Each structure stands twice: as C-alpha cells, then as structure tokens.
Amino acid sequence: MEEIRLADLPNIFNLPTKRLNLFNRPQGIVITMAQVLSGKKVSTDIKKQLKEEVLQLKAKYEGFEPGLAIVQVGDRDDSNVYINQKLKSALEIGVKAEHIKLPRSSTQYDVLSCVERLNNDIKVHGIIVQLPMESDNPIDAHLVTNSILQSKDVDGLHQDNAGRLSRGDLNTCILPCTPRGCMELIKRTGVEVKGKQAVVLGRSKIVGAPMHDLLLWNHATVTVCHSRTADIKAEVSKADIVVVGIGQPQMVQGDWIKPGAVVIDCGINSLPDASKKSGYRLVGDVHYESAKERASWITPVPGGVGPMTVAMLLLNTVDQARKAYEKLAMSGPWTISYLPLDLKTPVPSDIDIAKSQAPKDISLLASEINLLNDEVDLYGKKKAKVSLKVLDRLKAQKDGRYVVVTGITPTPLGEGKSTTTVGLAQALGAHLKKNIFACVRQPSQGPTFGIKGGAAGGGYSQVIPMEEFNLHLTGDLHAITAANNLLAAAIEARMFHESSQSDAALFKRLVPTAKDGARSFCPVQICRLEKLGIAERDPKALTKEDIKRFVRLDIDTSTITWQRVMDTNDRFLRGITVGKGPNEKGHERDTQFDITVASEIMAVLALTTSLADMRERLGRMVVASNKAGDPVTADDLGVGGALTVLMKDSIRPNLMQTLEGTPVFVHAGPFANIAHGNSSILADKIALKLVGEDGLVVTEAGFGADIGMEKFFNIKCRYSGLIPNAVVLVATIRALKMHGGGPTVVAGVPLPVEYTQENLDLLEKGCSNLIKQIENANKFGVPVVVAVNGFATDTQAELELVQRIAREKGAFDAVICHHWAKGGLGAADLAAAVDKATGQPSNFKFLYDVKESIEAKIEIIAKEIYGADGIELEALAQQQIERYKKQGFNDLPICMAKTHLSLSHKPELKGAPTGFVLPIREARASIGAGFIYPLVGTMSTMPGLPTRPCFYDIDIDPDTEEILGLS
C-alpha cells in the first residue's frame, strides 16, 4: 500500500483541492497527514461577511443595530478574557455589545430581574449569561438560561431551542454556538455529512447532545460515546467524522482515528509545561500529533473550535436582529387562528352566544398580530392594554385602509351599527383572510344597568368576553371619573381658599419654602407665569401686583361649566347643592352631576394623539371664566399634571376579540351629541399600522351619518390627519318605513303591522333619508357602501328596492347583510364590496375651513348636512360665541349637539325634512378636547333609571362566578 501526503494528492491525480472527495480516494492510497482546519481563519472570514451583512441591513432598515447583552456574575479572570474577546469581535462587525457585570453578592432574583429587563428591551436581540456564575448565593443556572426569551437565546441553551433542535426544527431554533461552529468547520472541508458515520464523544448539554442532533438532522448516522461506553476506541475507529468534547486531555489517540476522518476537537485543557512562560500549555481532547497522521482534516487547539464559538455567537445575534427587524417591518398576512361559529336557528340570546364561544388567550392574539411582548400589558387572560410604543416601532409602516361605519337616522331601537362593525370585521378576517382591526367605543355602565343594556354587538357578531366589555374592562372609565372629580374638587377648594386668605397668605402656601430655605415655582406654576406675561422666576422678586395676579383666579361662579361625574344613571343628581358642610358655610353653590362619558376628559382621551398631547389638552381645559371674562384652565388650578397621571394607563387602547377571533380595540366612549361620538384616534392609528398597507381598520361613528359621521370627518380626521377610504352606511327596512311615514316605533312595544308586512310605497318614501345620508357622505369625497341589515320580516322585493335606489343615488354599492344570524359569513358580500370600495381613490375633503367664523361653520353644517334653510342664534348662544371669539377660540371645529332621531331639530320630523331654520340655544366649548358644541335643544347629560332597569335581570352564580342576565 502506497503512502502519500494529503497535500500532494491533488497534484498526483490532477484534482482541484476544493473538489477532492476524501472518502472516495483511489485504492491503495493512505492519507498520512491531515490538513489543518483553522477556526481562526474561518471565523475571520465569517466576521468579515457579517460586517458586510450588517452594513447592508443598516441600509435596508432605518436604525438597524444588532444588540448583544452579556451578563456576568462575579469577576472570574477566565470569564473576563472570554467576554473581552466577544466585546472586541462584536465591535469589529458592528454589533452593539453591552457587558452587564453583577457583583458576587447578587441573588438569583437579581440575575432573573436583569434578564427580564433585557428580554423587554427591543434594542437587545441576543442575551448570554456567562457561565459559570460566581456568586455567594445559590443560583440555578438552568433556570436562568431558561428565563431568557427563546428568540434572544443566542447561546442556544434555552430548553425550547434544545427541544426544537432535537426534533429537527432547525429553521425555528437558535443553534448552540459551539456545535454550530463545528458544523461550519465540517462544511468547510467539502465533506458531505449526509450518509456518513459520525461519532460524538461527550453528551454535555452545551456540546455533545446538540452536536448529535445537528449531525443527525444533517443526515449522518450518529453514535454518542460517553464515560459509560464499553469500547470507545472501537466506536471512534468506525467514524468518518469525529467530534470530541469530553474534557479529558489528549484522550483520543491517533490509532483510534479512521484513516481520512474529519476530527473536530472541542476540548481545551492545560498541561504543565516548564518550557512555557506561563508554566502550562493548552491541549485538546485529541492527541493532535498522532491524530493528524491519520485524519484528513483536524482542528488545532488552540485556534480551532474556540474562535468559531465567538463567531457563531455573533452570527446568531445578527440573525436574530435581522428577524426582529423583518418582523417589525412585516406587513404581510397575519398567521391568525380564527374561531369557528356554531350557528343555531333560531338565534340564541346574545349572552348565550357569547358564553358558548371560548375566546383565545389575548397573549396569543397579540402575538398573531405581531405585537411584541413589551408592547402588551395583560389584564387577565382575555384583555390587554397596548403600548403607544407600537407607533414608534412601526412609524415607517404604511397605514392600512380606513373605513367608518355609520347609519341612516335611526329608530329608537337602533339599526345595528355596532353589530355591522363587528360582523364586517369578522367577514374581512375569517372569510376574506384580510388583516383587519375593528375599533369601537367602550360603553358606559349607566345604560348597561339602565335601559339600553350592553353594546358589544349582537347575535353572532359580538366582542367577547361581553361581560368584560360591558363592565369595568380595564378601568378607563373609573380613571376618567377620578380625574374629572379631582378637577371639580380643585375648583371648589380654590374658590374657598381665595375667599378666606390674603394675597400674601395664598402666595406663601402656593409657593412654600423648602426645608433648606429655598423657594421656587413648580413647572405648572411657571406655565401660569408665562400665561400672565410675568418674566420673573424668583418668587422673592415678584411685585405685589404680580403676586395678586398669580394667586387670584377670581372665578366667576356663574360661568363654571365643569361638573362632577359618575358612571351610573341617577336622575336625582341632575341638580345638587354643594358646600352644605358646617366649615363651608356661605359657599353653597348649585351644580349637577353628569354621566362619566359626558366628561370632557373622555373627549380628550378620544382625540389625543400622544401622552404629551394629552397633557397639553388636559391642562388647557377651560372650567370657567374669571370676573374679567378670561378663561380659567386646569393648569391655572395647578392640576393638569395630576390629571394626566390619573390617565396615564387609560391612554393605551384595550385589546379584545370578536366571536371569530379577529382583533378589536375598545377605547374611549364620548357622547355622540355634546361630544363627537367616536372611539379614540390612538386606537385607529395603532390599528392602521398593525394591519399594514393591505389591511383594513373598521371604526364606528355614533348615531346617524348627520351626527357621528360628520364629526368623524370634520373633528376626528382633522386632528388625526388620517384619510378615510370608505363609508359603510347601515340601514334597515323598518327604519326606512318609519321615515316614509310609518307609525311611531317604541322600544319594548311590538312593531306595528306596517313594519312586518311588505309595503313598497312606504319604503320608497322613506328612502329619502337614505338618499340624503348618501349625499352627505359623498360631500366628503369618500365612496359609500350601503349595508342593509336584513330581518326575517323583510321581503326580497323590499331589499332589492333599497339596493336599486341606493346605487342610483350615488352609493358605490348596496349589500344585504345577515351577520346577526350568520356572523362573518353573513357579511361576506359586504366585506367584498368594502374591499373593492377602499381600493378606489379617496378624494377626502373637509366640509368647512376652521378659520371661518363660528356662526358660518354652524350654518354650513345646518344647510349642507341637515338640509336647513339657515340658523337662528338665540341671545345666550350669540353672547357665548362672542366670548369664545374674544378668548381666541374661533378656529375650533364644530360639534353639533342635536337630536339623533331626525335630520332636523325636531325628533318627529322624519325622512329628509326641508324648509326649517335650525335654532341654536346655547354654544358651549370643550377647549381641551378642541371643539365648540352648539346646543340645538335641551341635552340631558345624566340619564335616569326606568321603572324596571336592566339590573333586575343581572346576577352572579356564587359557585361558578358566572355573570347572569347581562345583555
């Protein structure tokens, strides 16, 4: 048998080295010298490639920067050496590496807390805990490594990564660094792993076990040898590939190695060596000198596997950073699990349907729609708050298409806008497979326990769990109540103290001296100084006149507009007297309670665009005028910051789901008469980013199109800057018949026969209201899809008549819907029409320029939207408007407060009345929210309870805690 050197083999057989197959060598040839498989050289090549990849990713993704966090406990010298190598290599390729050094005194809790902080930091893409941890306290290393998020475990030690690797899910796991480096070295030899015999010496969790899995799933036949293996030499001698990580210096001898085998030595051991300056030399687990005589390729120690481990750590970090940025920028279809409906006939009650459907855990839904863990705060398992940080993360993402659901002028029964909103969302998601978000208002608890019941939709188109939706949810309404009433208390207290103290005494208490003798204005007081034009910031330097102006708000009690609120229907709080206590004698004042959703703070929440914007809006809310006619604000009272603190959690939208598992934001619920009646801008903005360019967001506007839709366009869209793509106009046959002259519809009373039998003449006359509302929507340049909610008593001729008239009079399409009875399936045709309509160009425009006079803006709405001949301002309204102009509030949009039961100011006028003049009784202002609201008639802001309220039927099962009777 002829022996030749491996280096001479290509020349002898005229073969390129890179194509040489060492396992198909010519017969009679024995390779006697291995090629050195230099991990140092390969890792240098990999780091060079990584550096280029990072530069490319920086060009592709704005702000791209891979982040690696290295957690060290204690101060071991060997650990410091390894960490410095990692930090140096990270710097070379553009990875931002952070070294977190915890003291020896650190407890397990300290380490876990550190890891949790890094888990929640979206700038950190990889986390490693340097082992072993040097602590004076017991620390479970397995627990710590498993506390790292699987997606940030760049060491590949997490049990989830190990489990995925063991079952062959190589594309979903992070490979451990040393085994991945070994595989990379094997691939560099040109040897095909598939079909080879491989032996792994050692079964450690870090090297041996994962190395076995990697080789196995790369189609080698793998044997693992360990301390209990009977004849290790015999097993090794069969191997085409040998990977050694057994912790025994030079254990594997050359005569163990099969000629031509690839040998990867993961061991690193020190042996005494007097010839070395250090007194020792480093060796592997393989006897290098003898093994290289038989192997085809062999890794040296040092300089073999060691450098590869660091390179693979950085490769894993860059991989995870790339995946994170891809996910951040992803706008493709969600991978979402829809919930099937078990449709029944007849349709059961809303509560029975809602209880029959088991909602997904909200954490699962959040993951499905690409929310990150640190962007979601769970409130139990079925609802969550979503952080505004989503807007920063997705700022480069194009918005989805924006749809508002409104209706014709309704009957007192309502025509199903909420049900349509939910049903349409279910259809677009579960049936058309679109990324879809529904955004709805949070209902008040007053009507829930009063006469109306809940507002989660109905039938098979509902938000669930409905009891969570209709009751406390996440406490937003309670926060609004607390903030509102704190401001009310501040008004009374300030008037009380000003009446009983001198200017000097007030100033001394408002700007107290600290313990160190220093005296300074707080930030909100500096805002007041700026408002007053007082430049001095040293309290001691203010003149007596300045002090007087600063401390005296001089509130004119007859101008106070701020009321206390509570979220309960209570007619006996419509008029109250405060100040009846013995210490407040002489300060009695008649006032009232409103229901919480009537608070201006609710309108502020719905219209705010950021926490900073909310702070500004809350601070500028006008609560009264002073005796000179100047506005007095919440910041004048010093309470704007405190109000914001109470509202800091409420600003985040609430995430829930529909019966079919599509996402819903439930956020804010302002009145639709004295306020604008729409859910929050922030919910819409976040939803539009999450659905992506090809997705849709469906939101609902309160009351009919003449009220809710008009305010959606002229107020909400003006402040949000969002461009709507379509209007869904909800109509019913019964409502149209009412507008055609049908008998009065009364809640709780059976419908007259005119509504349950075919009557085409009555229906066609009533379509005048539908035509007017289509015309109103078209004035804003947005396509209109009419959704006719079908009822069992509707005839085909009636439905077709409405469709024909709607299309002829300017609707993009008109569709019959049955989502109440069939869920998303019953709105599939509507969804298809909306999808098509939103693909049309949007020529959206506002109805008026806000710089026009208040009177002119009111008149434009009255004439263009309601069909009035003009407006008539009563003396009080004229006086108030002049005051608002003087105070600088002319350029605010208008929020008309009128009946929702007619296009006119008279509820009994149905259809599309003309020839009337709209009387304006009063004009009030919500300066913080940002609108003037003229009152067309008397508006009740505190509902009362009926003879038999809904609460009669509401109870709880004490054994199961199941809520009963909620509707």
Side-chain angles (χ1 to χ4, degrees):
M1 185 174 288
E2 181 183 358
E3 291 188 2
I4 63 172
R5 291 178 56 83
L6 176 68
D8 296 330
L9 205 62
N11 294 328
I12 293 171
F13 293 99
N14 194 27
L15 295 171
T17 301
K18 64 182 180 179
R19 292 186 181 178
L20 183 62
N21 189 328
L22 300 170
F23 296 95
N24 294 319
R25 59 189 180 279
Q27 286 187 344
I29 299 297
V30 175
I31 301 169
T32 59
M33 181 65 70
Q35 290 199 73
V36 176
L37 194 49
S38 171
K40 186 174 182 181
K41 180 179 182 303
V42 174
S43 67
T44 299
D45 292 343
I46 289 172
K47 287 190 284 186
K48 182 179 178 181
Q49 293 168 5
L50 282 176
K51 185 175 182 179
E52 293 174 358
E53 182 181 355
V54 169
L55 290 174
Q56 292 171 0
L57 289 168
K58 282 180 179 288
K60 184 175 182 180
Y61 300 114
E62 182 183 353
F64 179 85
E65 186 176 42
L68 172 65
I70 305 170
V71 180
Q72 179 187 12
V73 181
D75 194 32
R76 285 174 59 111
D77 290 337
D78 55 349
S79 292
N80 289 330
V81 171
Y82 298 145
I83 290 170
N84 286 334
Q85 290 173 353
K86 294 167 185 173
L87 293 173
K88 180 181 177 183
S89 295
L91 183 64
E92 288 174 4
I93 70 166
V95 171
K96 183 180 180 180
E98 179 186 7
H99 180 196
I100 299 105
K101 204 166 189 176
L102 301 178
R104 284 180 60 107
S105 60
S106 298
T107 64
Q108 181 169 283
Y109 175 80
D110 295 330
V111 180
L112 292 173
S113 296
C114 177
V115 170
E116 182 63 20
R117 176 182 66 81
L118 297 170
N119 281 339
N120 292 327
D121 187 345
I122 63 172
K123 295 181 180 179
V124 174
H125 306 102
I127 305 169
I128 65 170
V129 176
Q130 187 68 40
L131 301 176
M133 291 177 278
E134 183 185 46
S135 175
D136 298 330
N137 302 292
I139 298 178
D140 184 341
H142 184 67
L143 177 65
V144 170
T145 53
N146 281 321
S147 71
I148 299 171
L149 277 179
Q150 181 268 334
S151 60
K152 295 191 178 188
D153 169 40
V154 288
D155 251 347
L157 302 181
H158 193 287
Q159 60 190 14
D160 282 2
N161 281 318
R164 295 179 191 198
L165 174 58
S166 70
R167 69 188 185 204
D169 295 338
L170 303 188
N171 293 327
T172 66
C173 72
I174 300 176
L175 300 177
C177 299
T178 300
R180 187 175 188 180
C182 293
M183 282 300 300
E184 185 63 32
L185 288 171
I186 294 169
K187 289 176 182 177
R188 294 291 175 121
T189 68
V191 172
E192 185 180 12
V193 175
K194 177 178 165 182
K196 299 297 185 294
Q197 295 286 333
V199 169
V200 177
L201 270 68
R203 53 183 173 183
S204 72
K205 295 176 183 177
I206 296 176
V207 179
M211 194 68 232
H212 162 272
D213 296 333
L214 261 180
L215 287 164
L216 179 66
W217 294 111
N218 277 275
H219 311 298
T221 301
V222 189
T223 301
V224 176
C225 296
H226 45 78
S227 60
R228 301 293 187 270
T229 301
D231 189 348
I232 295 179
K233 178 179 178 180
E235 297 296 338
V236 172
S237 65
K238 303 173 188 175
D240 302 317
I241 300 169
V242 181
V243 181
V244 187
I246 208 162
Q248 297 293 324
Q250 300 182 333
M251 175 179 171
V252 178
Q253 299 296 310
D255 61 353
W256 294 21
I257 304 300
K258 178 180 178 180
V262 176
V263 178
I264 307 295
D265 189 353
C266 301
I268 185 162
N269 312 276
S270 59
L271 293 179
D273 189 338
S275 67
K276 300 291 183 180
K277 185 177 180 179
S278 62
Y280 64 87
R281 62 189 172 92
L282 296 177
V283 299
D285 293 350
V286 177
H287 189 274
Y288 183 78
E289 293 301 324
S290 62
K292 73 179 181 179
E293 298 297 328
R294 295 174 68 86
S296 60
W297 297 85
I298 189 169
T299 57
V301 177
V305 173
M308 291 299 295
T309 300
V310 175
M312 294 302 103
L313 173 69
L314 297 175
L315 177 58
N316 282 345
T317 302
V318 173
D319 280 349
Q320 293 311 111
R322 173 180 47 76
K323 289 177 182 177
Y325 275 85
E326 284 174 351
K327 183 176 181 180
L328 297 184
M330 186 166 57
S331 60
W334 294 333
T335 303
I336 190 166
S337 53
Y338 299 107
L339 304 178
L341 294 177
D342 181 17
L343 301 176
K344 288 182 167 55
T345 304
V347 176
S349 68
D350 291 350
I351 188 69
D352 287 342
I353 292 173
K355 287 182 177 179
S356 70
Q357 184 70 292
K360 295 180 283 189
D361 280 0
I362 206 68
S363 56
L364 171 61
L365 179 60
S367 174
E368 289 176 337
I369 61 176
N370 295 333
L371 284 167
L372 306 182
N373 286 344
D374 69 327
E375 294 169 343
V376 180
D377 284 337
L378 303 179
Y379 281 63
K381 294 183 178 181
K382 308 305 177 188
K383 55 188 177 180
K385 283 279 188 187
V386 174
S387 171
L388 306 190
K389 291 187 292 185
V390 177
L391 292 173
D392 292 329
R393 172 168 69 87
L394 298 178
K395 61 184 177 183
Q397 173 87 289
K398 289 186 177 180
D399 287 345
R401 291 169 280 168
Y402 196 26
V403 179
V404 61
V405 177
T406 185
I408 63 170
T409 305
T411 68
L413 305 178
E415 310 319 308
K417 292 194 310 298
S418 298
T419 306
T420 301
T421 301
V422 176
L424 175 57
Q426 292 177 178
L428 285 164
H431 299 273
L432 268 64
K433 309 306 180 189
K434 299 284 185 180
N435 290 0
I436 173 66
F437 239 108
C439 294
V440 301
R441 290 182 291 168
Q442 179 180 354
S444 166
Q445 285 181 186
T448 298
F449 291 102
I451 191 171
K452 181 176 177 289
Y460 286 102
S461 296
Q462 295 186 57
V463 179
I464 55 171
M466 71 170 293
E467 58 269 31
E468 301 276 6
F469 178 90
N470 284 314
L471 297 177
H472 304 283
L473 197 55
T474 56
D476 292 350
L477 288 173
H478 302 313
I480 292 168
T481 302
N484 184 99
N485 293 344
L486 175 62
L487 180 51
I491 296 169
E492 307 290 357
R494 187 57 174 266
M495 292 192 298
F496 174 78
H497 292 303
E498 284 190 27
S499 70
S500 59
Q501 297 181 47
S502 65
D503 294 346
L506 279 169
F507 191 62
K508 181 180 179 180
R509 289 177 172 85
L510 287 170
V511 192
T513 302
K515 290 181 180 179
D516 61 1
R519 196 178 187 193
S520 61
F521 295 108
C522 65
V524 74
Q525 290 175 326
I526 291 174
C527 291
R528 175 154 175 79
L529 291 172
E530 291 173 351
K531 177 180 177 180
L532 295 172
I534 298 173
E536 185 58 64
R537 294 296 177 265
D538 181 0
K540 298 177 182 177
L542 260 64
T543 66
K544 287 185 177 181
E545 179 59 28
D546 287 341
I547 290 173
K548 181 180 181 66
R549 293 174 62 213
F550 175 77
V551 302
R552 295 287 169 188
L553 297 185
D554 275 337
I555 292 173
D556 180 350
T557 57
S558 68
T559 67
I560 295 174
T561 56
W562 198 262
Q563 317 294 354
R564 290 163 175 80
V565 300
M566 66 186 304
D567 199 31
T568 301
N569 290 5
D570 191 343
R571 68 179 69 248
F572 283 89
L573 293 179
R574 292 170 179 169
I576 62 171
T577 301
V578 296
K580 300 288 285 185
N583 295 326
E584 290 75 45
K585 189 175 181 180
H587 296 280
E588 295 91 349
R589 186 172 72 84
D590 289 338
T591 180
Q592 68 184 61
F593 267 81
D594 292 338
I595 197 162
T596 295
V597 292
S599 171
E600 183 178 350
I601 295 177
M602 175 62 89
V604 167
L605 176 64
L607 290 171
T608 195
T609 55
S610 67
L611 186 60
D613 179 56
M614 184 168 75
R615 170 63 184 89
E616 183 183 342
R617 286 174 179 271
L618 291 173
R620 71 171 185 245
M621 291 188 303
V622 174
V623 301
S625 295
N626 64 18
K627 292 171 183 175
D630 300 319
V632 177
T633 67
D635 269 351
D636 288 331
L637 287 157
V639 75
L643 302 181
T644 311
V645 168
L646 287 170
M647 294 293 294
K648 72 178 182 65
D649 292 327
S650 299
I651 195 173
R652 296 176 295 157
N654 304 298
L655 178 63
M656 296 189 75
Q657 64 193 282
T658 68
L659 281 168
E660 296 191 53
T662 59
V664 180
F665 273 142
V666 184
H667 199 217
F671 257 24
N673 45 31
I674 66 166
H676 64 295
N678 285 261
S679 60
S680 77
I681 285 174
L682 282 170
D684 291 358
K685 278 180 168 283
I686 294 173
L688 285 164
K689 292 297 183 186
L690 286 171
V691 299
E693 186 177 5
D694 295 327
L696 295 96
V697 171
V698 179
T699 189
E700 178 194 350
F703 291 155
D706 54 308
I707 299 180
M709 182 196 72
E710 182 271 318
K711 295 174 183 180
F712 170 82
F713 288 141
N714 282 320
I715 299 176
K716 185 176 181 180
C717 290
R718 198 183 296 270
Y719 282 122
S720 70
L722 298 174
I723 305 299
N725 299 98
V727 170
V728 173
L729 184 64
V730 179
T732 61
I733 300 299
R734 74 183 179 199
L736 292 171
K737 286 181 176 179
M738 177 193 72
H739 286 295
T744 302
V745 176
V746 180
V749 176
L751 287 172
V753 68
E754 288 85 350
Y755 296 104
T756 58
Q757 294 182 0
E758 184 176 289
N759 191 327
L760 297 178
D761 289 339
L762 195 64
L763 178 62
E764 186 166 8
K765 290 176 184 176
C767 282
S768 60
N769 187 270
L770 173 65
I771 294 167
K772 176 57 179 168
Q773 300 290 28
I774 293 171
E775 176 190 314
N776 286 341
N778 284 330
K779 287 179 186 291
F780 294 91
V782 181
V784 185
V785 177
V786 172
V788 184
N789 273 344
F791 286 76
T793 54
D794 300 339
T795 68
Q796 189 63 31
E798 289 176 328
L799 294 170
E800 291 176 356
L801 175 64
V802 175
Q803 284 182 292
R804 177 179 61 78
I805 291 174
R807 290 165 180 160
E808 289 175 353
K809 297 301 181 179
F812 178 85
D813 202 350
V815 182
I816 312 304
C817 309
H818 299 284
H819 41 271
W820 180 80
K822 297 181 180 180
L825 179 64
D829 290 343
L830 174 63
V834 169
D835 185 38
K836 187 175 180 181
T838 55
Q840 307 299 307
S842 177
N843 300 309
F844 175 67
K845 57 181 181 289
F846 297 119
L847 188 66
Y848 54 79
D849 185 337
V850 289
K851 294 191 176 300
E852 295 191 63
S853 70
I854 293 173
E855 299 94 328
K857 289 179 285 192
I858 296 171
E859 188 166 34
I860 289 171
I861 295 171
K863 288 182 174 180
E864 296 292 327
I865 302 299
Y866 307 153
D869 288 344
I871 62 171
E872 181 181 359
L873 294 173
E874 296 185 13
L876 177 58
Q878 188 66 65
Q879 177 188 342
Q880 291 165 327
I881 288 172
E882 291 305 319
R883 182 167 72 243
Y884 298 144
K885 289 180 179 179
K886 179 183 176 183
Q887 293 174 341
F889 303 139
N890 180 82
D891 294 350
L892 294 176
I894 302 300
C895 182
M896 297 292 287
K898 78 167 188 71
T899 178
H900 63 289
L901 297 174
S902 172
L903 282 163
S904 74
H905 57 291
K906 295 181 178 180
E908 66 274 13
L909 293 181
K910 304 301 182 182
T914 58
F916 64 93
V917 174
L918 194 72
I920 309 299
R921 184 173 61 84
E922 284 187 64
R924 299 179 187 172
S926 291
I927 303 304
F931 52 74
I932 304 292
Y933 62 99
L935 273 67
V936 177
T938 302
M939 293 291 148
S940 174
T941 51
M942 172 54 83
L945 290 172
T947 304
R948 192 185 189 282
C950 294
F951 60 63
Y952 271 84
D953 300 311
I954 298 173
D955 210 325
I956 190 167
D957 185 321
D959 295 323
T960 64
E961 298 185 10
E962 180 183 359
I963 295 173
L964 309 172
L966 194 63
S967 63

